[in-house]
Amino acid sequence: MNILVSACLLGVDCRYCGTGLFNEAVYQLKGQYNLIPVCPEQLGGLTTPRNPVELVNGQAVDQNQNDFTDKFEKGARETLKIAKLLDCKMAVLKSCSPSCGYGKIYDGTFSGNLIDGNGKTAALLAENGIKVITEKDI
Ligand code: SF4
């Protein structure tokens, strides 16, 4: 079975800061599933590295109030396309991210505080019937 995985969790250097965040437990899922790495923010056309972004009232903005919502939403749609093409029924996504976070995300103050909510991609996948979990659930 194919499952989507946030590419940064598999060690791809796609995070805003230009690094990955390899997670051994997620990587070991390769024994049970075909892991399909995706980075919604890159799929939306954002560069790496890039400014950190958080969601404020549903808008994806950086600390200078530059608005990247269109690119975040494009990345979500492209990720959903891949999920459908490859018949992925589950996604293991990076916690807290404004794209990939599920259940908890940063609160928009860039201070590390978390609030209830979902990243743009996680929300769209879940709305389309894909089971979303994060690396913290493994
Ligand atoms: S958008 Fe998702 S996959 Fe890409 S770097 Fe951020 S958390 Fe990782």
Side-chain angles (χ1 to χ4, degrees), residues 40-100:
E41 290 174 23
Q42 289 190 336
L43 287 166
L46 291 162
T47 58
T48 304
R50 54 190 172 274
N51 288 343
V53 163
E54 295 190 2
L55 298 185
V56 179
N57 298 323
Q59 301 298 110
V61 295
D62 69 11
Q63 282 171 291
N64 298 318
Q65 304 308 311
N66 296 308
D67 193 322
F68 298 96
T69 306
D70 286 355
K71 287 189 160 64
F72 272 63
E73 291 180 345
K74 179 173 192 287
R77 290 194 302 273
E78 294 298 327
T79 303
L80 178 62
K81 252 189 239 174
I82 293 170
K84 287 183 171 174
L85 273 172
L86 299 178
D87 196 25
C88 298
K89 302 217 168 4
M90 187 168 94
V92 182
L93 302 183
K94 171 72 187 70
S95 60
C96 308
S97 151
S99 290
C100 292

Short mmCIF file of all heavy atoms in Angstrom, two decimals, residues 40-100:
data_model
loop_
_atom_site.label_atom_id
_atom_site.label_comp_id
_atom_site.label_asym_id
_atom_site.label_seq_id
_atom_site.Cartn_x
_atom_site.Cartn_y
_atom_site.Cartn_z
N PRO A 40 4.80 19.57 0.34
CA PRO A 40 3.77 20.46 -0.21
C PRO A 40 4.28 21.87 -0.47
O PRO A 40 3.86 22.50 -1.46
CB PRO A 40 2.69 20.46 0.86
CG PRO A 40 2.87 19.17 1.59
CD PRO A 40 4.34 18.90 1.56
N GLU A 41 5.16 22.37 0.36
CA GLU A 41 5.60 23.76 0.16
C GLU A 41 6.46 23.88 -1.09
O GLU A 41 6.34 24.84 -1.85
CB GLU A 41 6.29 24.27 1.43
CG GLU A 41 5.26 24.46 2.54
CD GLU A 41 5.81 24.84 3.90
OE1 GLU A 41 6.92 25.39 3.98
OE2 GLU A 41 5.11 24.56 4.89
N GLN A 42 7.29 22.88 -1.36
CA GLN A 42 8.03 22.89 -2.62
C GLN A 42 7.09 22.67 -3.79
O GLN A 42 7.22 23.31 -4.84
CB GLN A 42 9.13 21.83 -2.59
CG GLN A 42 10.28 22.18 -1.66
CD GLN A 42 11.47 21.26 -1.82
OE1 GLN A 42 11.33 20.11 -2.28
NE2 GLN A 42 12.64 21.73 -1.44
N LEU A 43 6.11 21.77 -3.64
CA LEU A 43 5.15 21.53 -4.72
C LEU A 43 4.32 22.77 -5.02
O LEU A 43 3.83 22.95 -6.14
CB LEU A 43 4.22 20.37 -4.34
CG LEU A 43 4.86 18.98 -4.38
CD1 LEU A 43 3.96 17.96 -3.68
CD2 LEU A 43 5.13 18.54 -5.80
N GLY A 44 4.19 23.64 -4.04
CA GLY A 44 3.47 24.90 -4.25
C GLY A 44 4.33 25.97 -4.88
O GLY A 44 3.85 27.08 -5.16
N GLY A 45 5.60 25.67 -5.09
CA GLY A 45 6.48 26.62 -5.78
C GLY A 45 7.37 27.44 -4.88
O GLY A 45 8.04 28.37 -5.35
N LEU A 46 7.40 27.12 -3.60
CA LEU A 46 8.27 27.88 -2.68
C LEU A 46 9.71 27.38 -2.78
O LEU A 46 9.96 26.21 -3.06
CB LEU A 46 7.75 27.74 -1.25
CG LEU A 46 6.42 28.45 -0.99
CD1 LEU A 46 5.76 27.93 0.28
CD2 LEU A 46 6.64 29.96 -0.89
N THR A 47 10.62 28.29 -2.55
CA THR A 47 12.04 27.94 -2.61
C THR A 47 12.49 27.32 -1.28
O THR A 47 11.82 27.43 -0.26
CB THR A 47 12.89 29.20 -2.84
OG1 THR A 47 12.63 30.12 -1.78
CG2 THR A 47 12.56 29.84 -4.17
N THR A 48 13.65 26.68 -1.34
CA THR A 48 14.28 26.18 -0.12
C THR A 48 15.71 26.68 -0.14
O THR A 48 16.41 26.43 -1.13
CB THR A 48 14.28 24.64 -0.08
OG1 THR A 48 12.94 24.19 -0.21
CG2 THR A 48 14.89 24.11 1.21
N PRO A 49 16.21 27.37 0.90
CA PRO A 49 15.43 27.77 2.08
C PRO A 49 14.42 28.88 1.77
O PRO A 49 14.42 29.46 0.68
CB PRO A 49 16.51 28.24 3.06
CG PRO A 49 17.67 28.64 2.20
CD PRO A 49 17.61 27.79 0.97
N ARG A 50 13.59 29.15 2.76
CA ARG A 50 12.53 30.16 2.63
C ARG A 50 12.24 30.71 4.03
O ARG A 50 12.65 30.11 5.04
CB ARG A 50 11.27 29.56 2.02
CG ARG A 50 10.75 28.32 2.77
CD ARG A 50 9.65 27.60 2.00
NE ARG A 50 9.30 26.32 2.62
CZ ARG A 50 9.93 25.16 2.40
NH1 ARG A 50 10.96 25.11 1.58
NH2 ARG A 50 9.55 24.04 3.00
N ASN A 51 11.53 31.81 4.05
CA ASN A 51 11.18 32.37 5.36
C ASN A 51 10.22 31.43 6.10
O ASN A 51 9.35 30.83 5.47
CB ASN A 51 10.47 33.72 5.20
CG ASN A 51 11.41 34.82 4.77
OD1 ASN A 51 12.63 34.68 4.88
ND2 ASN A 51 10.86 35.91 4.26
N PRO A 52 10.36 31.33 7.42
CA PRO A 52 9.37 30.56 8.17
C PRO A 52 8.00 31.23 8.07
O PRO A 52 7.89 32.46 8.03
CB PRO A 52 9.88 30.59 9.62
CG PRO A 52 10.89 31.67 9.67
CD PRO A 52 11.41 31.89 8.28
N VAL A 53 6.99 30.40 7.96
CA VAL A 53 5.60 30.86 7.79
C VAL A 53 4.73 30.18 8.84
O VAL A 53 4.96 29.02 9.18
CB VAL A 53 5.12 30.51 6.35
CG1 VAL A 53 3.62 30.58 6.22
CG2 VAL A 53 5.80 31.44 5.33
N GLU A 54 3.75 30.90 9.34
CA GLU A 54 2.75 30.29 10.21
C GLU A 54 1.37 30.71 9.72
O GLU A 54 1.25 31.67 8.94
CB GLU A 54 2.97 30.71 11.68
CG GLU A 54 4.29 30.17 12.21
CD GLU A 54 4.47 30.33 13.73
OE1 GLU A 54 3.55 30.82 14.42
OE2 GLU A 54 5.57 29.96 14.20
N LEU A 55 0.34 30.02 10.17
CA LEU A 55 -1.03 30.35 9.76
C LEU A 55 -1.62 31.35 10.75
O LEU A 55 -1.58 31.14 11.97
CB LEU A 55 -1.90 29.10 9.71
CG LEU A 55 -1.48 28.02 8.70
CD1 LEU A 55 -2.51 26.89 8.67
CD2 LEU A 55 -1.28 28.59 7.31
N VAL A 56 -2.15 32.45 10.18
CA VAL A 56 -2.84 33.47 10.98
C VAL A 56 -4.22 33.65 10.36
O VAL A 56 -4.33 34.12 9.22
CB VAL A 56 -2.06 34.81 10.97
CG1 VAL A 56 -2.81 35.85 11.79
CG2 VAL A 56 -0.64 34.62 11.49
N ASN A 57 -5.24 33.26 11.10
CA ASN A 57 -6.61 33.32 10.56
C ASN A 57 -6.71 32.67 9.19
O ASN A 57 -7.36 33.19 8.28
CB ASN A 57 -7.11 34.77 10.48
CG ASN A 57 -7.16 35.43 11.84
OD1 ASN A 57 -7.51 34.78 12.83
ND2 ASN A 57 -6.80 36.69 11.91
N GLY A 58 -6.05 31.55 9.03
CA GLY A 58 -6.13 30.80 7.78
C GLY A 58 -5.20 31.28 6.68
O GLY A 58 -5.11 30.66 5.63
N GLN A 59 -4.50 32.39 6.91
CA GLN A 59 -3.57 32.90 5.92
C GLN A 59 -2.14 32.45 6.29
O GLN A 59 -1.77 32.47 7.47
CB GLN A 59 -3.60 34.43 5.86
CG GLN A 59 -4.96 35.01 5.51
CD GLN A 59 -5.45 34.57 4.14
OE1 GLN A 59 -6.40 33.79 4.03
NE2 GLN A 59 -4.80 35.06 3.10
N ALA A 60 -1.36 32.09 5.27
CA ALA A 60 0.02 31.65 5.49
C ALA A 60 0.94 32.85 5.33
O ALA A 60 1.15 33.34 4.20
CB ALA A 60 0.39 30.55 4.49
N VAL A 61 1.45 33.38 6.42
CA VAL A 61 2.25 34.61 6.37
C VAL A 61 3.59 34.43 7.09
O VAL A 61 3.70 33.63 8.02
CB VAL A 61 1.49 35.81 7.01
CG1 VAL A 61 0.26 36.15 6.19
CG2 VAL A 61 1.12 35.52 8.45
N ASP A 62 4.58 35.21 6.65
CA ASP A 62 5.85 35.21 7.37
C ASP A 62 5.84 36.36 8.39
O ASP A 62 4.84 37.07 8.55
CB ASP A 62 7.05 35.24 6.40
CG ASP A 62 7.18 36.57 5.67
OD1 ASP A 62 6.49 37.55 6.02
OD2 ASP A 62 8.00 36.63 4.72
N GLN A 63 6.96 36.53 9.05
CA GLN A 63 7.01 37.53 10.12
C GLN A 63 6.91 38.96 9.62
O GLN A 63 6.68 39.88 10.39
CB GLN A 63 8.28 37.34 10.95
CG GLN A 63 8.15 36.17 11.91
CD GLN A 63 9.47 35.84 12.57
OE1 GLN A 63 10.39 35.36 11.92
NE2 GLN A 63 9.56 36.07 13.87
N ASN A 64 7.12 39.15 8.30
CA ASN A 64 6.98 40.49 7.71
C ASN A 64 5.61 40.68 7.07
O ASN A 64 5.43 41.63 6.29
CB ASN A 64 8.08 40.72 6.68
CG ASN A 64 9.46 40.67 7.32
OD1 ASN A 64 9.66 41.20 8.41
ND2 ASN A 64 10.39 40.00 6.65
N GLN A 65 4.70 39.78 7.37
CA GLN A 65 3.33 39.82 6.83
C GLN A 65 3.27 39.58 5.32
O GLN A 65 2.26 39.91 4.68
CB GLN A 65 2.62 41.15 7.17
CG GLN A 65 2.56 41.47 8.65
CD GLN A 65 2.00 40.31 9.48
OE1 GLN A 65 0.97 39.75 9.15
NE2 GLN A 65 2.70 39.92 10.55
N ASN A 66 4.33 39.03 4.74
CA ASN A 66 4.24 38.59 3.34
C ASN A 66 3.30 37.37 3.30
O ASN A 66 3.44 36.46 4.13
CB ASN A 66 5.61 38.20 2.80
CG ASN A 66 6.55 39.38 2.75
OD1 ASN A 66 6.20 40.43 2.19
ND2 ASN A 66 7.72 39.25 3.34
N ASP A 67 2.40 37.37 2.35
CA ASP A 67 1.35 36.36 2.30
C ASP A 67 1.66 35.29 1.25
O ASP A 67 1.76 35.61 0.06
CB ASP A 67 0.01 37.04 1.98
CG ASP A 67 -1.17 36.13 2.22
OD1 ASP A 67 -1.06 34.91 1.93
OD2 ASP A 67 -2.21 36.61 2.70
N PHE A 68 1.79 34.04 1.70
CA PHE A 68 2.11 32.92 0.81
C PHE A 68 0.95 31.94 0.70
O PHE A 68 1.14 30.79 0.32
CB PHE A 68 3.37 32.19 1.32
CG PHE A 68 4.60 33.05 1.34
CD1 PHE A 68 4.99 33.68 2.51
CD2 PHE A 68 5.35 33.24 0.19
CE1 PHE A 68 6.12 34.49 2.54
CE2 PHE A 68 6.48 34.05 0.21
CZ PHE A 68 6.87 34.68 1.38
N THR A 69 -0.24 32.40 1.03
CA THR A 69 -1.38 31.49 1.09
C THR A 69 -1.61 30.77 -0.24
O THR A 69 -1.88 29.56 -0.25
CB THR A 69 -2.65 32.27 1.50
OG1 THR A 69 -2.39 32.97 2.72
CG2 THR A 69 -3.83 31.33 1.72
N ASP A 70 -1.50 31.51 -1.34
CA ASP A 70 -1.74 30.88 -2.65
C ASP A 70 -0.80 29.70 -2.88
O ASP A 70 -1.22 28.64 -3.37
CB ASP A 70 -1.52 31.89 -3.80
CG ASP A 70 -2.66 32.89 -3.89
OD1 ASP A 70 -3.64 32.74 -3.14
OD2 ASP A 70 -2.55 33.82 -4.71
N LYS A 71 0.46 29.88 -2.53
CA LYS A 71 1.43 28.80 -2.75
C LYS A 71 1.17 27.63 -1.80
O LYS A 71 1.31 26.47 -2.17
CB LYS A 71 2.85 29.34 -2.59
CG LYS A 71 3.27 30.22 -3.77
CD LYS A 71 4.75 30.55 -3.70
CE LYS A 71 5.33 30.99 -5.02
NZ LYS A 71 4.83 32.20 -5.59
N PHE A 72 0.80 27.92 -0.58
CA PHE A 72 0.48 26.84 0.36
C PHE A 72 -0.74 26.04 -0.13
O PHE A 72 -0.78 24.81 -0.02
CB PHE A 72 0.22 27.41 1.76
CG PHE A 72 1.47 27.55 2.58
CD1 PHE A 72 2.50 28.39 2.19
CD2 PHE A 72 1.63 26.83 3.74
CE1 PHE A 72 3.66 28.51 2.93
CE2 PHE A 72 2.78 26.94 4.51
CZ PHE A 72 3.80 27.79 4.10
N GLU A 73 -1.72 26.77 -0.66
CA GLU A 73 -2.92 26.07 -1.13
C GLU A 73 -2.64 25.29 -2.41
O GLU A 73 -3.17 24.20 -2.61
CB GLU A 73 -4.07 27.08 -1.31
CG GLU A 73 -4.52 27.59 0.07
CD GLU A 73 -5.65 28.60 0.03
OE1 GLU A 73 -5.93 29.15 -1.06
OE2 GLU A 73 -6.23 28.84 1.11
N LYS A 74 -1.77 25.84 -3.27
CA LYS A 74 -1.38 25.09 -4.47
C LYS A 74 -0.65 23.81 -4.06
O LYS A 74 -0.90 22.73 -4.61
CB LYS A 74 -0.48 25.94 -5.37
CG LYS A 74 -0.01 25.21 -6.62
CD LYS A 74 0.74 26.15 -7.56
CE LYS A 74 0.97 25.55 -8.94
NZ LYS A 74 1.97 24.52 -8.97
N GLY A 75 0.24 23.93 -3.10
CA GLY A 75 0.97 22.76 -2.63
C GLY A 75 0.03 21.70 -2.07
O GLY A 75 0.24 20.49 -2.28
N ALA A 76 -1.00 22.13 -1.39
CA ALA A 76 -1.98 21.18 -0.85
C ALA A 76 -2.70 20.47 -1.99
O ALA A 76 -2.88 19.24 -1.96
CB ALA A 76 -2.97 21.93 0.05
N ARG A 77 -3.08 21.24 -3.01
CA ARG A 77 -3.80 20.62 -4.14
C ARG A 77 -2.91 19.65 -4.90
O ARG A 77 -3.34 18.57 -5.30
CB ARG A 77 -4.32 21.71 -5.10
CG ARG A 77 -5.44 22.55 -4.53
CD ARG A 77 -6.13 23.37 -5.62
NE ARG A 77 -5.22 24.25 -6.34
CZ ARG A 77 -4.91 25.50 -5.96
NH1 ARG A 77 -5.43 26.00 -4.87
NH2 ARG A 77 -4.07 26.24 -6.68
N GLU A 78 -1.65 20.02 -5.09
CA GLU A 78 -0.71 19.13 -5.81
C GLU A 78 -0.48 17.84 -5.01
O GLU A 78 -0.38 16.75 -5.57
CB GLU A 78 0.62 19.84 -6.06
CG GLU A 78 0.53 21.04 -7.01
CD GLU A 78 0.08 20.65 -8.41
OE1 GLU A 78 0.40 19.55 -8.87
OE2 GLU A 78 -0.62 21.46 -9.04
N THR A 79 -0.40 17.99 -3.71
CA THR A 79 -0.20 16.81 -2.86
C THR A 79 -1.42 15.89 -2.94
O THR A 79 -1.27 14.66 -3.02
CB THR A 79 0.06 17.24 -1.41
OG1 THR A 79 1.20 18.12 -1.39
CG2 THR A 79 0.34 16.04 -0.52
N LEU A 80 -2.61 16.48 -2.92
CA LEU A 80 -3.82 15.67 -3.05
C LEU A 80 -3.85 14.94 -4.38
O LEU A 80 -4.25 13.77 -4.46
CB LEU A 80 -5.06 16.55 -2.88
CG LEU A 80 -6.41 15.84 -3.04
CD1 LEU A 80 -6.58 14.75 -1.97
CD2 LEU A 80 -7.56 16.84 -2.97
N LYS A 81 -3.39 15.63 -5.44
CA LYS A 81 -3.34 14.99 -6.77
C LYS A 81 -2.47 13.74 -6.72
O LYS A 81 -2.83 12.69 -7.25
CB LYS A 81 -2.72 15.97 -7.78
CG LYS A 81 -3.66 16.56 -8.77
CD LYS A 81 -2.87 17.33 -9.83
CE LYS A 81 -3.30 18.77 -9.85
NZ LYS A 81 -2.47 19.60 -10.74
N ILE A 82 -1.30 13.87 -6.10
CA ILE A 82 -0.39 12.72 -6.00
C ILE A 82 -1.04 11.61 -5.20
O ILE A 82 -0.98 10.42 -5.56
CB ILE A 82 0.95 13.16 -5.37
CG1 ILE A 82 1.68 14.10 -6.33
CG2 ILE A 82 1.82 11.94 -5.03
CD1 ILE A 82 2.89 14.79 -5.71
N ALA A 83 -1.70 11.98 -4.11
CA ALA A 83 -2.37 10.97 -3.27
C ALA A 83 -3.40 10.20 -4.09
O ALA A 83 -3.49 8.96 -4.00
CB ALA A 83 -3.03 11.65 -2.07
N LYS A 84 -4.15 10.92 -4.90
CA LYS A 84 -5.19 10.26 -5.69
C LYS A 84 -4.59 9.40 -6.80
O LYS A 84 -5.02 8.28 -7.03
CB LYS A 84 -6.14 11.30 -6.28
CG LYS A 84 -7.06 11.90 -5.22
CD LYS A 84 -8.04 12.88 -5.84
CE LYS A 84 -9.09 13.30 -4.82
NZ LYS A 84 -9.97 14.35 -5.33
N LEU A 85 -3.56 9.95 -7.47
CA LEU A 85 -2.91 9.20 -8.56
C LEU A 85 -2.36 7.87 -8.06
O LEU A 85 -2.42 6.85 -8.75
CB LEU A 85 -1.74 10.01 -9.12
CG LEU A 85 -2.03 11.01 -10.22
CD1 LEU A 85 -0.78 11.85 -10.49
CD2 LEU A 85 -2.47 10.28 -11.49
N LEU A 86 -1.80 7.89 -6.86
CA LEU A 86 -1.12 6.71 -6.34
C LEU A 86 -1.97 5.95 -5.31
O LEU A 86 -1.49 5.04 -4.65
CB LEU A 86 0.23 7.11 -5.71
CG LEU A 86 1.21 7.75 -6.70
CD1 LEU A 86 2.50 8.16 -6.01
CD2 LEU A 86 1.52 6.79 -7.86
N ASP A 87 -3.23 6.36 -5.21
CA ASP A 87 -4.19 5.68 -4.34
C ASP A 87 -3.69 5.57 -2.89
O ASP A 87 -3.76 4.51 -2.28
CB ASP A 87 -4.50 4.28 -4.91
CG ASP A 87 -5.75 3.69 -4.30
OD1 ASP A 87 -6.61 4.47 -3.85
OD2 ASP A 87 -5.85 2.45 -4.24
N CYS A 88 -3.18 6.68 -2.40
CA CYS A 88 -2.72 6.70 -1.00
C CYS A 88 -3.92 6.94 -0.08
O CYS A 88 -4.65 7.91 -0.25
CB CYS A 88 -1.71 7.84 -0.78
SG CYS A 88 -0.22 7.69 -1.77
N LYS A 89 -4.10 6.05 0.88
CA LYS A 89 -5.23 6.20 1.80
C LYS A 89 -4.77 6.74 3.15
O LYS A 89 -5.59 6.96 4.06
CB LYS A 89 -5.91 4.85 1.98
CG LYS A 89 -6.39 4.26 0.66
CD LYS A 89 -7.68 3.54 0.80
CE LYS A 89 -8.37 3.17 -0.49
NZ LYS A 89 -7.75 3.42 -1.76
N MET A 90 -3.46 6.93 3.29
CA MET A 90 -2.93 7.41 4.57
C MET A 90 -1.74 8.34 4.30
O MET A 90 -1.05 8.20 3.29
CB MET A 90 -2.48 6.23 5.44
CG MET A 90 -2.08 6.61 6.84
SD MET A 90 -1.90 5.15 7.90
CE MET A 90 -0.17 4.83 7.74
N ALA A 91 -1.53 9.29 5.21
CA ALA A 91 -0.39 10.19 5.11
C ALA A 91 0.24 10.34 6.49
O ALA A 91 -0.47 10.54 7.48
CB ALA A 91 -0.83 11.55 4.59
N VAL A 92 1.56 10.23 6.54
CA VAL A 92 2.30 10.48 7.78
C VAL A 92 3.03 11.80 7.58
O VAL A 92 3.97 11.89 6.78
CB VAL A 92 3.31 9.35 8.07
CG1 VAL A 92 4.02 9.63 9.40
CG2 VAL A 92 2.63 8.00 8.11
N LEU A 93 2.55 12.83 8.27
CA LEU A 93 3.04 14.18 8.00
C LEU A 93 3.75 14.76 9.21
O LEU A 93 3.57 14.33 10.34
CB LEU A 93 1.86 15.08 7.60
CG LEU A 93 1.05 14.64 6.37
CD1 LEU A 93 -0.03 15.66 6.06
CD2 LEU A 93 1.93 14.40 5.16
N LYS A 94 4.55 15.79 8.92
CA LYS A 94 5.36 16.44 9.96
C LYS A 94 4.47 17.29 10.88
O LYS A 94 3.76 18.17 10.42
CB LYS A 94 6.42 17.31 9.28
CG LYS A 94 7.21 18.22 10.20
CD LYS A 94 8.17 17.42 11.04
CE LYS A 94 8.84 18.31 12.07
NZ LYS A 94 7.93 18.77 13.14
N SER A 95 4.58 17.00 12.16
CA SER A 95 3.75 17.70 13.14
C SER A 95 4.02 19.21 13.15
O SER A 95 5.13 19.66 12.82
CB SER A 95 4.03 17.14 14.54
OG SER A 95 5.39 17.31 14.87
N CYS A 96 3.00 19.95 13.49
CA CYS A 96 3.07 21.40 13.79
C CYS A 96 3.24 22.31 12.58
O CYS A 96 3.06 23.53 12.70
CB CYS A 96 4.17 21.72 14.80
SG CYS A 96 4.09 20.74 16.30
N SER A 97 3.60 21.78 11.42
CA SER A 97 3.88 22.61 10.24
C SER A 97 2.60 23.28 9.73
O SER A 97 1.52 22.70 9.78
CB SER A 97 4.45 21.70 9.14
OG SER A 97 4.15 22.17 7.86
N PRO A 98 2.74 24.49 9.15
CA PRO A 98 1.57 25.16 8.58
C PRO A 98 1.03 24.45 7.33
O PRO A 98 -0.07 24.73 6.89
CB PRO A 98 2.08 26.56 8.24
CG PRO A 98 3.56 26.41 8.12
CD PRO A 98 3.95 25.32 9.07
N SER A 99 1.81 23.54 6.76
CA SER A 99 1.31 22.70 5.67
C SER A 99 0.94 21.31 6.17
O SER A 99 -0.15 20.81 5.88
CB SER A 99 2.38 22.54 4.57
OG SER A 99 2.56 23.74 3.88
N CYS A 100 1.87 20.70 6.88
CA CYS A 100 1.74 19.27 7.20
C CYS A 100 1.19 18.98 8.59
O CYS A 100 0.77 17.85 8.86
CB CYS A 100 3.11 18.61 7.06
SG CYS A 100 3.71 18.55 5.36
#
